[in-house]
Short mmCIF file of all heavy atoms in Angstrom, two decimals:
data_model
loop_
_atom_site.label_atom_id
_atom_site.label_comp_id
_atom_site.label_asym_id
_atom_site.label_seq_id
_atom_site.Cartn_x
_atom_site.Cartn_y
_atom_site.Cartn_z
N THR A 29 -2.48 18.54 -12.72
CA THR A 29 -2.05 18.71 -14.10
C THR A 29 -1.18 19.96 -14.20
O THR A 29 -1.19 20.82 -13.30
CB THR A 29 -3.25 18.88 -15.05
OG1 THR A 29 -3.92 20.10 -14.71
CG2 THR A 29 -4.20 17.69 -14.97
N HIS A 30 -0.43 20.06 -15.27
CA HIS A 30 0.42 21.24 -15.49
C HIS A 30 -0.44 22.51 -15.51
O HIS A 30 -0.07 23.53 -14.93
CB HIS A 30 1.20 21.09 -16.80
CG HIS A 30 2.10 22.24 -17.09
ND1 HIS A 30 3.27 22.45 -16.41
CD2 HIS A 30 1.97 23.25 -17.98
CE1 HIS A 30 3.84 23.54 -16.87
NE2 HIS A 30 3.08 24.04 -17.83
N GLU A 31 -1.59 22.43 -16.16
CA GLU A 31 -2.47 23.59 -16.26
C GLU A 31 -2.97 24.04 -14.89
O GLU A 31 -3.00 25.23 -14.58
CB GLU A 31 -3.65 23.30 -17.18
CG GLU A 31 -3.28 23.13 -18.64
CD GLU A 31 -2.68 21.76 -18.97
OE1 GLU A 31 -2.88 20.79 -18.19
OE2 GLU A 31 -2.01 21.66 -20.00
N LYS A 32 -3.37 23.08 -14.04
CA LYS A 32 -3.83 23.42 -12.69
C LYS A 32 -2.70 24.03 -11.87
O LYS A 32 -2.92 25.00 -11.14
CB LYS A 32 -4.37 22.18 -11.98
CG LYS A 32 -5.70 21.70 -12.46
CD LYS A 32 -6.15 20.49 -11.66
CE LYS A 32 -7.45 19.93 -12.15
NZ LYS A 32 -7.86 18.74 -11.39
N PHE A 33 -1.51 23.47 -12.00
CA PHE A 33 -0.36 23.99 -11.27
C PHE A 33 -0.05 25.42 -11.70
O PHE A 33 0.13 26.31 -10.86
CB PHE A 33 0.86 23.08 -11.48
CG PHE A 33 2.09 23.60 -10.82
CD1 PHE A 33 2.25 23.51 -9.45
CD2 PHE A 33 3.10 24.19 -11.57
CE1 PHE A 33 3.39 24.00 -8.84
CE2 PHE A 33 4.24 24.69 -10.97
CZ PHE A 33 4.39 24.58 -9.60
N MET A 34 0.00 25.67 -13.02
CA MET A 34 0.33 27.01 -13.51
C MET A 34 -0.75 28.02 -13.12
O MET A 34 -0.45 29.17 -12.81
CB MET A 34 0.54 26.98 -15.02
CG MET A 34 1.75 26.16 -15.44
SD MET A 34 3.29 26.57 -14.55
CE MET A 34 3.59 28.22 -15.14
N LYS A 35 -2.00 27.60 -13.11
CA LYS A 35 -3.08 28.50 -12.69
C LYS A 35 -2.92 28.85 -11.22
O LYS A 35 -3.07 30.02 -10.84
CB LYS A 35 -4.45 27.84 -12.93
CG LYS A 35 -5.60 28.73 -12.56
CD LYS A 35 -6.95 28.08 -12.83
CE LYS A 35 -8.06 29.02 -12.39
NZ LYS A 35 -9.37 28.42 -12.50
N ALA A 36 -2.58 27.88 -10.38
CA ALA A 36 -2.37 28.13 -8.96
C ALA A 36 -1.18 29.07 -8.74
O ALA A 36 -1.25 29.98 -7.90
CB ALA A 36 -2.16 26.81 -8.21
N VAL A 37 -0.10 28.87 -9.50
CA VAL A 37 1.06 29.75 -9.39
C VAL A 37 0.67 31.18 -9.75
O VAL A 37 1.03 32.14 -9.04
CB VAL A 37 2.22 29.25 -10.29
CG1 VAL A 37 3.32 30.29 -10.41
CG2 VAL A 37 2.79 27.95 -9.74
N ALA A 38 -0.08 31.35 -10.82
CA ALA A 38 -0.50 32.69 -11.25
C ALA A 38 -1.40 33.35 -10.21
O ALA A 38 -1.26 34.54 -9.92
CB ALA A 38 -1.21 32.61 -12.59
N GLU A 39 -2.32 32.59 -9.63
CA GLU A 39 -3.22 33.15 -8.62
C GLU A 39 -2.46 33.59 -7.38
O GLU A 39 -2.72 34.67 -6.83
CB GLU A 39 -4.30 32.12 -8.25
CG GLU A 39 -5.32 31.90 -9.35
CD GLU A 39 -6.28 30.75 -9.07
OE1 GLU A 39 -6.09 30.03 -8.06
OE2 GLU A 39 -7.21 30.58 -9.86
N VAL A 40 -1.50 32.78 -6.94
CA VAL A 40 -0.71 33.13 -5.76
C VAL A 40 0.17 34.34 -6.05
O VAL A 40 0.27 35.27 -5.24
CB VAL A 40 0.13 31.93 -5.29
CG1 VAL A 40 1.12 32.34 -4.23
CG2 VAL A 40 -0.78 30.83 -4.76
N ALA A 41 0.80 34.36 -7.23
CA ALA A 41 1.64 35.50 -7.60
C ALA A 41 0.82 36.79 -7.65
O ALA A 41 1.26 37.84 -7.17
CB ALA A 41 2.31 35.25 -8.95
N ASN A 42 -0.38 36.72 -8.20
CA ASN A 42 -1.25 37.89 -8.25
C ASN A 42 -1.64 38.35 -6.85
O ASN A 42 -1.66 39.56 -6.58
CB ASN A 42 -2.50 37.60 -9.09
CG ASN A 42 -3.38 38.82 -9.21
OD1 ASN A 42 -2.93 39.87 -9.66
ND2 ASN A 42 -4.63 38.69 -8.81
N ALA A 43 -1.95 37.42 -5.97
CA ALA A 43 -2.33 37.78 -4.60
C ALA A 43 -1.19 38.51 -3.89
O ALA A 43 -1.41 39.50 -3.19
CB ALA A 43 -2.73 36.53 -3.82
N VAL A 44 0.04 38.06 -4.10
CA VAL A 44 1.19 38.69 -3.45
C VAL A 44 1.48 40.05 -4.08
O VAL A 44 1.62 41.06 -3.38
CB VAL A 44 2.44 37.78 -3.52
CG1 VAL A 44 3.68 38.52 -3.05
CG2 VAL A 44 2.22 36.52 -2.70
N THR A 45 1.58 40.10 -5.41
CA THR A 45 1.97 41.36 -6.06
C THR A 45 0.91 42.44 -5.92
O THR A 45 1.23 43.63 -5.95
CB THR A 45 2.30 41.14 -7.55
OG1 THR A 45 1.17 40.57 -8.21
CG2 THR A 45 3.50 40.23 -7.71
N SER A 46 -0.35 42.06 -5.75
CA SER A 46 -1.41 43.06 -5.61
C SER A 46 -1.33 43.83 -4.30
O SER A 46 -2.00 44.85 -4.13
CB SER A 46 -2.79 42.41 -5.76
OG SER A 46 -3.05 41.56 -4.66
N THR A 47 -0.50 43.38 -3.36
CA THR A 47 -0.36 44.09 -2.09
C THR A 47 0.68 45.21 -2.17
O THR A 47 0.85 45.96 -1.21
CB THR A 47 0.04 43.12 -0.96
OG1 THR A 47 1.34 42.58 -1.23
CG2 THR A 47 -0.97 42.00 -0.81
N PHE A 48 1.38 45.35 -3.30
CA PHE A 48 2.41 46.38 -3.48
C PHE A 48 1.95 47.45 -4.46
O PHE A 48 1.13 47.19 -5.34
CB PHE A 48 3.71 45.75 -4.02
CG PHE A 48 4.37 44.82 -3.06
CD1 PHE A 48 4.06 43.46 -3.08
CD2 PHE A 48 5.28 45.27 -2.13
CE1 PHE A 48 4.67 42.59 -2.20
CE2 PHE A 48 5.89 44.41 -1.24
CZ PHE A 48 5.58 43.06 -1.27
N GLU A 49 2.54 48.65 -4.32
CA GLU A 49 2.29 49.71 -5.29
C GLU A 49 2.92 49.31 -6.63
O GLU A 49 3.90 48.57 -6.67
CB GLU A 49 2.91 51.02 -4.82
CG GLU A 49 2.29 51.59 -3.56
CD GLU A 49 3.03 52.83 -3.09
OE1 GLU A 49 3.58 53.57 -3.94
OE2 GLU A 49 3.06 53.05 -1.87
N LEU A 50 2.37 49.85 -7.72
CA LEU A 50 2.87 49.58 -9.06
C LEU A 50 4.34 49.97 -9.17
O LEU A 50 4.74 51.02 -8.69
CB LEU A 50 2.03 50.33 -10.09
CG LEU A 50 2.24 49.95 -11.54
CD1 LEU A 50 1.89 48.48 -11.78
CD2 LEU A 50 1.38 50.82 -12.45
#
Side-chain angles (χ1 to χ4, degrees):
T29 65
H30 180 74
E31 291 79 20
K32 286 181 183 179
F33 176 75
M34 294 310 293
K35 182 179 178 186
V37 168
E39 288 172 354
V40 170
N42 183 56
V44 171
T45 58
S46 68
T47 65
F48 293 91
E49 295 176 30
L50 191 61

